Amino acid sequence: MSALKFVLRHTPPSAVDVSGLRPALLAGKSRKEITKLPLTGWNEIHRVGDLFSIRGDDAQRVVVDGADERLLRIGAGMEGGELTVVGTAGDYLGESMRSGTIVVRGDVGTFVGAGMRGGRIDVSGNAGAFAGSGRAGTLQGMAGGAIVVRGNAGDRAGDRMRRGLLLIEGNAGDYCASRMLAGTAVVLGRVGIDAGYLMRRGTLILGRSPAELLPTFNHNGWHDLLAIRLLLESLTVHGKRFQSFARSRPSLSRWLGDLGCDGKGEILIALGRL
Amino acid sequence: MLTRLAGARIVDPAHGAQEEVRDLYVRDGRIVDRPRDGERIDRTWDAAGTIAMAGAIDLHTHIGGGKVNIARGLLPELGRQHSLSATDVCGACTIGPAPSTLATGYRYAAMGYTACFEPAMQPVNARQAHMEMGDTPIVDKGAYAMLGNDDFLLRLLADGADRAVIRDYVAWTLHSTQAIGIKVVNAGGISAFKFNQRSLDVDEAHVHYGITPRTILRELARAVHDLGVPHPLHVHSSNLGVPGNVDSTLATIDAAEGLPIHLTHLQFHSYGTEGDRRFSSAAARIAEKVNASPNVSVDVGQIMFGQTVTASGDSMLQYRNARHGRPAKWVVMDIECDAGCGVVPFRYRDRDFVNALQWAIGLELFLLIRDPWRVFLTTDHPNGGPFTSYPHLIKLLMDGSFRKDVLARINPEAAAMTALGSLEREYSLQEIAIMTRAAPARILGLEDHGHLGAGAAANIVIYEPHPDPEVMFATPRWVFKDGELVAERGEVKAVPQGAIHTVKPDFDRGIERRLKTWFEQHHTQSLASFKIDDEEVCECGRAPRLAVHACRARSS
Amino acid sequence: MPLRGATCGFCGLLCDDLEIEVEGAALRPVRGACARSEAALAALGAVVDPVPRIAGQPASLDSALTAAAETLRCARRPVIGGLDVDVAGMRSALALAQRIGAVVDHAGGSIKYRNLHALQEFGAITTTFAEARNRADLVLLAGDGWWRRFPRFVERILAPTGAERRIVTLTALDPATRMTLPKQAEVLALDAPLVGLPAVCTMLHALVADRPVQATRLTGVSQPALQRCAEWLRAAKYGVIVWSAADFDWAHAELTVQAIAQLVRTLNATTRFAALPLAGNDADLTANAVQTWQAGVPLPASYANRSVDFDPKRYAWRDVLARGEADLLLWVSSLSAAAPPPVPGIPCVALTRADVGVGAAAHVQIPVATPGIDAAGHLLRSDKVITLRLPRLRESGLPAVSTVLDALLARLALTRC
């Protein structure tokens, strides 16, 4: 059995919800049935076979090749299996997924892993704004699982994050970890302005010192707590850069805030590492 | 155009009909006794073996007005998950915890409801309420204007104004807002909250005006009665949702001094403080009092398990209860020297002690209040649960063994604290027809609704008998609105616009001089801008007609 | 010359005390008009005989409707934008959106959404004009342009006597507006830079909640004024904080609105305090309210595929156009002087205010009645509770927005592309 592969034939005229191309929904279906599955565009229902050429047969390993930013909600609601995306993925990749793995060889749009509960998303390129956040109107962002972004993330990474891990190897944009509720976000590169704005709880670890921290965060000393060390150690499974970060045993400057909110969050800033 | 509905069993309590089989005739949207001599029957609907009832009437359902729209805007993530696709006659819309107006009209009609009454129209928000009701298709509509927290009335009462002045003001409000009744919500309490008073008992003085809820209740009940408005003062009592509020509810009944009053969502006002959790059912005490007080009618405000949103004018109590809300986001508003509102989402859970007991208390009230002409079937939509749960609620009332099955599944501590298991009463079809048709029409003064006699609006629901009343009531075979087929087996077939029901009691327009000064000194719109005339309300409300119901002034 | 009472729809205050002389098309304000409404009245009063245009050439209304219907009929992915219209106009726009499967958004949707986001993801405690006018003993003002957008706010809400007021300017006020503040009011100038507002709001929250915050880390404001402001907040009996989301013109400003909402909620634990966002310009609240009640979800919305969906991150009209997904722009405007934005590559049908020229931006242009001038109409006021009827002032013969859209819908129903 080889991976079930969907190769995009042409860019659709408007965004298409392709959450139907996830292992659980494809399992047990014949090639013919899969070809006829409907995918919703804008006043247009595409058949899978019209939009994609299909190869392979193992529905537990799905590949979307030649992805385009008009493909929305790739892997949304996944409940197991593997999904590989080659190309640029659209918004809401892995939204509300519960388990399984999504690997993206390329960039993803906004709201990657929005509201996810479990599983793992690994993006080789950049992620748009609101990585690990939640759809508009919801009170919680991701509540479990892990998102790893090898490139940069946009603004509001980890917004409203409730649980789980958000790991960014590159830089993150403005208002990183805004309104964070719990969980752990790590940015090895730089962050933009106002990180941790309205942060209630949770941990934001920064590999580089930001130009300025919000005045409603209080300095709480340098920390080398066992808990933090264990946390850093646990990151080593997520790749070399996290490995070397953890192994560098960075001295962490701890800031508590946002005191303009509940004030029980922490920002840990690595000093003089690597 | 003459239509015959042939062979249905007629359940029409207003005329004492106990499931007699006879034909119904409809001419030009009205029920007629029989065809004229030689008159041709244009169409016959074979209804043999079915049950016919008048269109149902919901006398307390929050279908329009700013607070419902705030609730919709507050919960888009839930609304979008419950999408209704467009059909050839229906528009696309959603039916979340606070359903869209379109879905509200479609679903009410498909369930056999042909008239709905918005119970908390704030006078300053009346235009929008009529607009939202105007976009609620098919069903007829009407609204109760809220008074009793407006600074103008509180000032009058504090100054000991003459009863005639209060009466004129109440009548002027009915006219200017195009309402069919008057509602009071937490008398004085919404206003007191603006002065940072956090609770207000029936005999406690408002911190600024020095008057008590008892005075407000008595004077409003008196004014409504004297004006001859058919619907008694509609009362949302003090202390909504507060353990031990049974005392203030009983005091509220006494405050009416024997004048007619309607106590709404009584379930939320029937709580004691017994037991380890200091929360218990006081339904028996309340029911006893209601049974002994012929001047009192009630609707229950049953809670149903699941996600909903509460939208109330009672800003004081909504603020107080907000911490229990889920999802944890809420809105409280002070409104324009007129009233207030609070919007708090709730998720009622059958495993939760308080929610489970609330559920049981509502059913206790239904079963312990004896006269079906004085107790109405409501969930206080959407506050206790969505109106779409009515068929389930009817089953709980009609089927004792089903009720016991559900009781066995709720929080056991709550189940142990309710007398529900020992209440054997099962509602009959006749009683359901009374509480959902005949009685609401009578208490609202709708002469031509809620019955199937000659002259009535041809709002007719044809049910197929089914051993499960929930199935039967959820999807009637046919629903006729003013003689037109609007729904068939749950599917909407036509989308006409309903009428607006109002009352226009006589009064002395001299009150406007006083009001004009008040508006100039305190308001941010003119008196002229505030008033809604007949033509405008029909435009806003997209109403083909305004149904003005008679008032018979009474001297006190 | 007839003098007419008028209600002004050119900002969200909906002042209903205007008196305007009407002579032919000319509109001369005699009482109650602010600079904003004077400008609009002058522009509208100067227009002589506006006519529909097809490809820039004058045309009859009938042929313009036919051309517009043709264009609409062939569209598969239409966007309906603008929407500075009255309730009836919005009702008709939504009926049309249902028919053609359009994405619908108000021109100022992203501005309105700053407040709506905070509402949907936190909540709000708000108040209305008459409450503020009669009860507010402390008023906080934030923003750098609300006095231009809502020119009579101070005069109508803050200046009338009643309550003894304290006023805090969180950010600097323009001198002219400062002069209009009530004489007896005690004024505290915090005058933080606008970009510092996010931090000012959270710092004030930390101070009133007695959190162990280092207030001196907040730069750009006077420390004594900051401390004094926190004291005033705690001492207020009925405090009100006023802003216009249009002034919060930076990315993620909804977080600042949420910070304000959180501050207000905390203050209510001990006293009464409420937010009073100024809004409603170009009928943004009207459009959103009608959409919200009819569909159950707010703007921006998609009516594609015979169902309605809401997603501010996907259906914001500018973004949809920028992504190149739409194949038609239907611009529906009646209050604003703004022309439809040129969108290369797709046709545009524009309903506009009579004085607005569209140039080459629109294939079909139909000038329409402005509510409160050429036709009666209903608009929602800034505080979201009051809807006022704007009576008609003059006989211009311009068709109402709803009339034009209903006619388009009727023509669409006749044939399909």
Side-chain angles (χ1 to χ4, degrees):
Chain A
M1 298 240 289
S2 62
L4 181 57
K5 193 167 180 180
F6 298 89
V7 183
L8 188 67
R9 293 174 189 271
H10 57 86
T11 300
S14 64
V16 180
D17 182 333
V18 295
S19 56
L21 301 183
R22 59 182 192 261
L25 294 186
L26 298 169
K29 289 198 168 63
S30 70
R31 173 72 65 88
K32 202 171 170 188
E33 286 170 316
I34 290 171
T35 306
K36 288 184 179 163
L37 288 175
L39 299 172
T40 305
W42 183 351
N43 295 331
E44 192 170 21
I45 302 296
H46 305 272
R47 298 292 149 188
V48 168
D50 296 338
L51 217 47
F52 298 95
S53 56
I54 306 171
R55 294 170 207 155
D57 49 9
D58 181 1
Q60 285 309 300
R61 291 182 294 144
V62 175
V63 178
V64 177
D65 199 354
D68 182 277
E69 61 191 11
R70 286 193 176 156
L71 302 187
L72 302 188
R73 305 188 74 237
I74 298 174
M78 259 206 1
E79 291 174 317
E82 285 173 34
L83 182 56
T84 303
V85 182
V86 182
T88 303
D91 300 340
Y92 298 109
L93 178 133
E95 181 186 17
S96 304
M97 72 183 285
R98 292 180 166 271
S99 65
T101 306
I102 304 178
V103 175
V104 181
R105 291 194 213 124
D107 298 340
V108 293
T110 61
F111 288 93
V112 56
M116 72 186 281
R117 313 292 294 254
R120 182 182 152 87
I121 299 173
D122 197 321
V123 179
S124 74
N126 301 324
F130 294 96
S133 179
R135 188 178 271 269
T138 57
L139 296 185
Q140 295 184 0
M142 70 182 290
I147 301 173
V148 187
V149 178
R150 306 292 171 186
N152 302 324
D155 294 350
R156 307 280 291 273
D159 175 64
R160 283 170 291 173
M161 186 173 170
R162 180 75 183 78
R163 199 178 293 125
L165 266 181
L166 173 63
L167 305 177
I168 297 156
E169 289 191 356
N171 304 325
D174 295 343
Y175 292 101
C176 184
S178 54
R179 307 185 290 180
M180 191 174 190
L181 300 169
T184 303
V186 182
V187 182
L188 295 184
R190 278 182 289 275
V191 290
I193 61 161
D194 293 354
Y197 193 70
L198 300 182
M199 187 176 185
R200 291 176 61 184
R201 288 170 184 273
T203 301
L204 171 63
I205 299 174
L206 300 180
R208 287 167 193 261
S209 197
E212 200 172 16
L213 260 190
L214 284 165
T216 43
F217 277 77
N218 279 352
H219 192 222
N220 187 244
W222 281 262
H223 281 272
D224 189 26
L225 295 175
L226 181 64
I228 299 291
R229 198 138 305 287
L230 291 173
L231 173 66
L232 291 180
E233 191 56 36
S234 74
L235 300 181
T236 55
V237 300
H238 295 289
K240 280 187 188 150
R241 298 216 40 208
F242 293 103
Q243 239 172 50
S244 57
F245 178 65
R247 302 268 152 85
S248 74
R249 300 196 59 149
S251 173
L252 295 168
S253 169
R254 186 171 190 244
W255 295 76
L256 298 181
D258 181 345
L259 294 159
C261 198
D262 281 6
K264 291 168 185 150
E266 58 178 2
I267 301 181
L268 300 167
I269 303 169
L271 296 173
R273 60 167 197 99
L274 296 179
Chain B
M1 172 88 179
L2 186 74
T3 307
R4 177 170 65 163
L5 278 150
R9 280 185 284 152
I10 309 292
V11 180
D12 187 15
H15 296 103
Q18 298 266 12
E19 306 196 28
E20 57 177 356
V21 174
R22 66 179 165 86
D23 292 353
L24 291 171
Y25 293 95
V26 174
R27 185 190 300 122
D28 302 330
R30 294 266 152 186
I31 294 176
V32 294
D33 270 333
R34 62 187 70 79
R36 298 190 191 102
D37 286 345
E39 188 178 7
R40 193 171 64 93
I41 294 169
D42 297 285
R43 175 150 193 198
T44 296
W45 300 80
D46 180 2
T50 66
I51 294 167
M53 292 189 194
I57 299 166
D58 195 339
L59 93 171
H60 189 107
T61 173
H62 296 275
I63 56 172
K67 63 192 178 304
V68 189
N69 223 30
I70 290 170
R72 295 179 187 114
L74 182 69
L75 300 165
E77 78 287 9
L78 299 179
R80 67 184 290 279
Q81 288 173 13
H82 301 92
S83 181
L84 297 183
S85 290
T87 69
D88 288 347
V89 292
C90 297
C93 55
T94 64
I95 185 159
S100 62
T101 57
L102 294 180
T104 302
Y106 301 152
R107 285 293 168 90
Y108 258 120
M111 247 169 50
Y113 277 74
T114 52
C116 296
F117 291 84
E118 161 59 47
M121 178 171 75
Q122 313 205 344
V124 296
N125 186 235
R127 263 190 199 87
Q128 183 180 342
H130 283 295
M131 287 169 172
E132 292 188 34
M133 290 191 284
D135 282 341
T136 306
I138 307 176
V139 293
D140 282 6
K141 278 88 55 171
Y144 318 144
M146 270 170 68
L147 288 177
N149 285 286
D150 49 312
D151 287 82
F152 184 77
L153 179 71
L154 299 184
R155 175 46 59 205
L156 284 182
L157 292 173
D159 292 348
D162 195 75
R163 274 191 175 154
V165 175
I166 291 164
R167 204 166 57 221
D168 288 337
Y169 173 57
V170 169
W172 177 85
T173 303
L174 287 164
H175 280 254
S176 317
T177 65
Q178 301 284 354
I180 194 174
I182 295 291
K183 163 98 170 288
V184 58
V185 175
N186 183 4
I190 301 169
S191 167
F193 184 52
K194 296 170 185 174
F195 296 90
N196 205 23
Q197 215 166 351
R198 300 301 171 115
S199 63
L200 190 67
D201 241 319
V202 178
D203 289 307
E204 200 175 343
H206 183 294
V207 70
H208 180 73
Y209 289 107
I211 52 171
T212 64
R214 184 182 295 273
T215 303
I216 300 168
L217 289 162
R218 184 188 63 225
E219 294 305 319
L220 281 175
R222 166 71 58 192
V224 170
H225 175 262
D226 290 355
L227 288 166
V229 175
H231 190 46
L233 179 67
H234 199 92
V235 180
H236 159 141
S237 305
S238 313
N239 296 317
L240 177 140
V242 178
N245 61 14
V246 52
D247 294 326
S248 53
T249 307
L250 296 173
T252 299
I253 294 175
D254 289 338
E257 297 182 352
L259 292 170
I261 57 165
H262 177 88
L263 298 186
T264 192
H265 40 70
L266 190 57
Q267 178 276 129
F268 288 107
H269 303 275
S270 302
Y271 303 152
T273 53
E274 288 161 23
D276 297 342
R277 309 258 214 143
R278 313 291 296 158
F279 181 71
S280 60
S281 169
R285 279 177 70 194
I286 297 280
E288 188 185 2
K289 179 82 169 183
V290 171
N291 285 333
S293 310
N295 60 314
V296 175
S297 59
V298 309
D299 65 82
V300 170
Q302 177 67 32
I303 75 153
M304 304 303 256
F305 301 122
Q307 176 72 56
T308 192
V309 58
T310 65
S312 170
D314 196 343
S315 50
M316 174 190 265
L317 272 299
Q318 289 291 83
Y319 175 81
R320 182 164 162 168
N321 294 326
R323 64 199 145 100
H324 303 300
R326 288 292 176 277
K329 50 178 171 176
W330 47 270
V331 177
V332 163
M333 232 180 143
D334 297 324
I335 296 177
E336 206 65 1
C337 299
D338 198 38
C341 80
V343 176
V344 184
F346 270 86
R347 206 174 287 149
Y348 297 116
R349 295 182 303 123
D350 59 359
R351 308 305 297 175
D352 177 88
F353 168 75
V354 170
N355 296 163
L357 196 52
Q358 289 179 299
W359 175 86
I361 290 167
L363 292 174
E364 287 178 6
L365 289 169
F366 272 118
L367 300 173
L368 290 170
I369 296 172
R370 286 192 295 270
D371 182 0
W373 288 90
R374 291 198 287 127
V375 56
F376 303 100
L377 188 138
T378 68
T379 55
D380 187 20
H381 166 83
N383 296 337
F387 68 83
T388 48
S389 61
Y390 286 174
H392 180 80
L393 178 52
I394 289 171
K395 184 178 185 179
L396 286 168
L397 298 180
M398 294 185 76
D399 184 340
S401 67
F402 173 68
R403 193 160 66 221
K404 282 178 185 157
D405 289 348
V406 181
L407 181 61
R409 291 199 299 270
I410 66 168
N411 177 291
E413 242 186 301
M417 283 187 68
T418 170
L420 191 58
S422 65
L423 298 174
E424 302 295 337
R425 182 177 171 193
E426 291 182 335
Y427 270 77
S428 67
L429 211 51
Q430 187 79 9
E431 286 175 316
I432 296 292
I434 291 169
M435 73 197 309
T436 57
R437 277 86 172 161
R442 191 167 81 176
I443 205 162
L444 288 165
L446 312 177
E447 312 81 356
D448 54 354
H449 283 65
H451 67 91
L452 296 172
N459 300 330
I460 305 167
V461 189
I462 302 294
Y463 294 106
E464 291 174 351
H466 193 281
D468 183 343
E470 185 171 351
V471 174
M472 172 175 145
F473 280 98
T475 47
R477 182 197 286 180
W478 295 315
V479 180
F480 297 91
K481 173 73 180 22
D482 296 315
E484 180 181 8
L485 180 74
V486 291
E488 179 170 7
R489 291 196 170 90
E491 190 184 332
V492 174
K493 292 292 184 186
V495 185
Q497 282 295 119
I500 299 172
H501 294 264
T502 62
V503 290
K504 294 185 183 290
D506 293 333
F507 73 107
D508 179 355
R509 294 204 174 259
I511 188 76
E512 288 206 343
R513 284 193 299 277
R514 201 164 180 159
L515 279 160
K516 191 164 185 293
T517 309
W518 174 266
F519 267 71
E520 282 162 5
Q521 285 174 351
H522 297 282
H523 271 271
T524 50
Q525 62 175 314
S526 68
L527 185 76
S529 294
F530 175 88
K531 295 187 332 182
I532 307 171
D533 67 22
D534 291 359
E535 189 186 339
E536 190 188 0
V537 78
C538 286
E539 183 205 333
C540 291
R542 291 182 154 177
R545 67 193 180 91
L546 196 60
V548 183
H549 297 277
C551 294
R552 290 176 191 85
R554 294 168 274 230
S555 52
S556 51
Chain C
M1 203 178 293
L3 188 65
R4 300 212 173 124
T7 300
C8 173
F10 297 109
C11 90
L13 298 182
L14 300 186
C15 301
D16 65 349
D17 60 350
L18 275 71
E19 287 178 5
I20 295 173
E21 282 179 354
V22 181
E23 188 180 25
L27 305 160
R28 280 185 210 96
V30 174
R31 194 174 92 91
C34 62
R36 215 180 143 89
S37 75
E38 276 175 1
L41 293 169
L44 283 165
V47 179
V48 183
D49 202 18
V51 291
R53 288 174 187 274
I54 302 171
Q57 298 306 307
S60 68
L61 179 60
D62 186 65
S63 47
L65 284 170
T66 302
E70 280 306 315
T71 314
L72 252 64
R73 190 175 294 131
C74 298
R76 299 191 68 169
R77 294 180 300 280
V79 169
I80 302 181
L83 297 175
D84 46 300
V85 298
D86 65 340
V87 169
M90 190 61 192
R91 282 170 159 174
S92 298
L94 292 179
L96 192 58
Q98 295 259 12
R99 173 69 177 73
I100 62 179
V103 164
V104 184
D105 192 13
H106 185 271
S110 59
I111 293 171
K112 174 188 58 67
Y113 221 79
R114 292 170 192 157
N115 290 343
L116 202 51
H117 252 307
L119 177 85
Q120 291 169 348
E121 290 161 20
F122 181 76
I125 298 173
T126 63
T127 193
T128 65
F129 287 160
E131 296 290 348
R133 172 180 166 170
N134 291 288
R135 284 186 239 285
D137 63 344
L138 171 65
V139 178
L140 271 57
L141 300 168
D144 65 350
W146 56 264
W147 50 85
R148 285 189 302 277
R149 295 190 177 87
F150 305 91
R152 293 180 67 200
F153 174 72
V154 173
E155 174 211 330
R156 292 192 57 219
I157 311 305
L158 299 188
T161 50
E164 293 277 309
R165 290 194 226 287
R166 287 170 157 178
I167 293 176
V168 179
T169 57
L170 289 176
T171 55
L173 216 55
D174 80 319
T177 306
R178 183 176 295 278
M179 292 292 290
T180 64
L181 293 181
K183 297 283 173 286
Q184 72 281 16
E186 202 180 344
V187 180
L188 174 65
L190 195 63
D191 291 1
L194 194 61
V195 292
L197 203 59
V200 167
C201 294
T202 46
M203 183 58 78
L204 282 172
H205 191 179
L207 289 172
V208 300
D210 268 331
R211 302 228 168 83
V213 75
Q214 318 282 305
T216 50
R217 288 194 53 228
L218 181 68
T219 53
V221 297
S222 128
Q223 284 295 320
L226 184 69
Q227 297 294 344
R228 190 115 182 272
C229 180
E231 281 161 30
W232 281 19
L233 283 166
R234 278 190 292 227
K237 288 194 169 66
Y238 196 98
V240 172
I241 178 163
V242 179
W243 74 94
S244 153
D247 290 355
F248 290 11
D249 200 15
W250 58 85
H252 312 294
E254 63 269 22
L255 290 174
T256 303
V257 178
Q258 180 168 332
I260 290 172
Q262 293 189 198
L263 170 64
V264 168
R265 193 186 281 184
T266 294
L267 286 161
N268 274 283
T270 52
T271 186
R272 289 308 319 279
F273 215 97
L276 185 62
L278 300 179
N281 286 11
D282 293 336
D284 60 350
L285 296 175
T286 304
N288 196 54
V290 178
Q291 156 70 24
T292 304
W293 78 57
Q294 281 200 5
V297 289
L299 294 174
S302 160
Y303 282 88
N305 309 310
R306 291 167 83 79
S307 66
V308 62
D309 189 25
F310 157 81
D311 187 343
K313 304 298 181 188
R314 292 288 312 172
Y315 305 134
W317 67 277
R318 282 181 202 280
D319 297 346
V320 176
L321 294 177
R323 289 196 302 260
E325 293 183 82
D327 63 1
L328 170 86
L329 174 62
L330 173 60
W331 189 258
V332 185
S333 173
S334 66
L335 284 159
S336 164
V343 186
I346 65 169
C348 173
V349 172
L351 279 57
T352 66
R353 215 169 85 168
D355 60 312
V356 172
V358 301
H363 172 59
V364 182
Q365 181 192 15
I366 302 176
V368 289
T370 293
I373 304 290
D374 309 299
H378 289 97
L379 295 176
L380 257 76
R381 203 172 76 176
S382 171
D383 44 7
K384 289 190 181 180
V385 175
I386 314 287
T387 304
L388 291 185
R389 181 175 186 273
L390 284 61
R392 179 168 69 179
L393 278 185
R394 65 178 187 186
E395 297 275 352
S396 63
L398 287 166
V401 167
S402 57
T403 307
V404 173
L405 295 179
D406 291 351
L408 279 176
L409 185 58
R411 283 170 199 234
L412 281 178
L414 296 177
T415 50
R416 286 167 188 273
C417 189

